Amino acid sequence: MQRLTQTGNNCLQTCVAMLLGVSLETLPDQHAIDDHERFTRALQAYLAKHHDKVYLEVGPEMFGALAAEHVFHVLIGETLRMTPEKDEWHAIVGVAGEPYWDVHPSRAGLTRVVKWGVLAPLVEGMRERVAGVASECLCPACGNAVASA
């Protein structure tokens, strides 16, 4: 797996690019879509359209089951860089529940894991639900511009 470094406030974009084995620039731009919910929708559209996958975040109750599988995933949580004014969570790449690579240039990692992000195959029942979303892909290859919030 190629280790990537985020280029600003785009740690989730960078982690997903690593998991997919693609360049950072092929995904929707997390910088341009600065709202987490909007970026997650854009990410789902990209994954459905170009990789037949979906991104899911799970809480601590699922950690044990996922750790038993030796697969790469995203770890999301608190970092040393958090302050009362800047309380955004950070994402790093993990494998089997353990940190693998912090995409931030500091490589400081997480101080507490809050949830995991995983890529899963897009199964038939989900494919119909995301068909409309996939048409809204905001990646560079689709040539769609990111609209302001």
Side-chain angles (χ1 to χ4, degrees), residues 7 104 115:
T7 58
H104 190 272
K115 54 187 173 178

Side-chain angles (χ1 to χ4, degrees), residues 13-147:
Q13 175 187 355
T14 307
C15 289
V16 172
M18 280 184 61
L19 296 180
L20 293 170
V22 300
S23 71
L24 182 60
E25 297 77 19
T26 61
L27 275 75
D29 185 356
Q30 191 174 356
H31 287 293
I33 310 168
D34 60 357
D35 176 77
H36 180 71
E37 186 176 316
R38 286 183 68 223
F39 176 72
T40 301
R41 282 195 312 269
L43 178 62
Q44 297 293 22
Y46 167 80
L47 290 169
K49 183 171 184 175
H50 299 286
H51 297 279
D52 209 29
K53 294 190 183 303
V54 64
Y55 175 77
L56 304 168
E57 291 182 350
V58 297
E61 66 279 0
M62 293 296 297
F63 289 0
L66 291 172
E69 301 295 321
H70 195 75
V71 297
F72 287 97
H73 52 81
V74 177
L75 293 171
I76 302 162
E78 298 173 358
T79 179
L80 291 171
R81 294 179 306 281
M82 293 177 75
T83 65
E85 297 80 32
K86 184 181 182 237
D87 63 351
E88 298 171 347
W89 285 342
H90 180 53
I92 67 171
V93 175
V95 63
E98 297 297 322
Y100 174 78
W101 181 250
D102 185 351
V103 298
H104 190 272
S106 73
R107 310 286 183 243
L110 301 176
T111 56
R112 183 171 79 96
V113 175
V114 177
K115 54 187 173 178
W116 288 19
V118 296
L119 295 179
L122 192 58
V123 295
E124 284 305 316
M126 296 170 78
R127 190 169 282 113
E128 289 79 30
R129 287 189 297 191
V130 300
V133 173
S135 67
E136 301 170 18
C137 184
L138 299 176
C139 77
C142 288
N144 294 329
V146 178

